[in-house]
Amino acid sequence: MQLQVARIGKPHGIRGEVTVQVMTDAPGDRFVRGVTFTVEPAGSGPLTVSSARWNKDILLLGFEEVTDRNRAEQLRGAKLLVETAELDDEDDEGWYEHELVGLEARVGDAVVGKVTALNTAPAQDLLMVTTPDGEEILVPFVEQIVPEVNIEAGYILLTPPEGLFELNSGDAAPAEGEGGE
């Protein structure tokens, strides 16, 4: 199985460098000179890293196969993939998005929705839970709120603080003193 580790963004400069949206916890280990990535769409790759550097909080990659801005522009939106067999299995503390998507979200014994995405962010990851009526709720993926992930049984257990589903649903009314005249 292949796992997405980055998405290529816009070109940077005229020599073929691109910005990338990083989707891995260890970019310093993953994006090094000589590493070759499978690319989706397949016609855009494979791509071999020739340079990697940070510009503020943005990772810039150069590829051996990309030498100018025009070719870099053609890669915009492409996904960089690795085989999951290549990944270290020593980390039992995390889950990949493909493992979580489709799991039932439960509060106690009640099913409140299904996990439809994992949004990774620098501060914390967020689970996208879609309720039976189609509403999308963002749930912080922290142990206090998601104490159990049971891949084999097909569910995650939630212990959301009061109002989490209402606050994140967009149906919440402004608190007293907010949004007034």
Side-chain angles (χ1 to χ4, degrees):
M1 174 180 265
Q2 293 187 327
L3 179 68
Q4 182 178 355
V5 293
R7 184 181 62 78
I8 297 177
K10 63 184 180 178
H12 181 83
I14 61 171
R15 293 192 177 106
E17 279 187 314
V18 294
T19 61
V20 294
Q21 177 187 8
V22 176
M23 299 175 180
T24 179
D25 290 340
D29 297 332
R30 177 72 54 210
F31 303 106
V32 293
R33 183 184 197 114
V35 171
T36 300
F37 291 101
T38 303
V39 182
E40 188 179 290
S44 296
L47 294 173
T48 304
V49 176
S50 62
S51 66
R53 65 187 177 95
W54 291 92
N55 183 7
K56 299 181 182 167
D57 292 333
I58 299 170
L59 179 61
L60 302 174
L61 292 180
F63 299 105
E64 293 174 7
E65 300 82 1
V66 182
T67 58
D68 62 34
R69 185 177 182 91
N70 291 336
R71 174 69 176 114
E73 181 63 45
Q74 294 170 351
L75 295 174
R76 189 186 291 237
K79 299 174 182 178
L80 299 179
L81 309 167
V82 296
E83 287 295 326
T84 55
E86 297 174 13
L87 302 176
D88 293 334
D89 289 331
E90 297 172 16
D91 183 12
D92 293 332
E93 303 249 342
W95 293 270
Y96 295 110
E97 182 176 28
H98 70 272
E99 296 174 302
L100 298 168
V101 169
L103 296 180
E104 285 185 344
R106 300 178 183 173
V107 175
D109 291 331
V111 176
V112 296
K114 281 202 178 293
V115 176
T116 53
L118 171 65
N119 297 333
T120 56
Q124 72 184 15
D125 295 341
L126 298 169
L127 289 174
M128 174 81 68
V129 174
T130 301
T131 63
D133 64 354
E135 189 120 26
E136 294 179 334
I137 308 295
L138 292 174
V139 176
F141 194 20
V142 294
E143 190 171 359
Q144 296 83 355
I145 298 173
V146 187
E148 182 180 351
V149 175
N150 191 326
I151 302 291
E152 293 78 28
Y155 72 90
I156 62 168
L157 183 63
L158 303 176
T159 56
E162 188 174 330
L164 176 72
F165 274 67
E166 293 79 18
L167 177 68
N168 286 324
S169 73
D171 292 339
E176 202 169 307
E178 289 183 15
E181 289 128 65

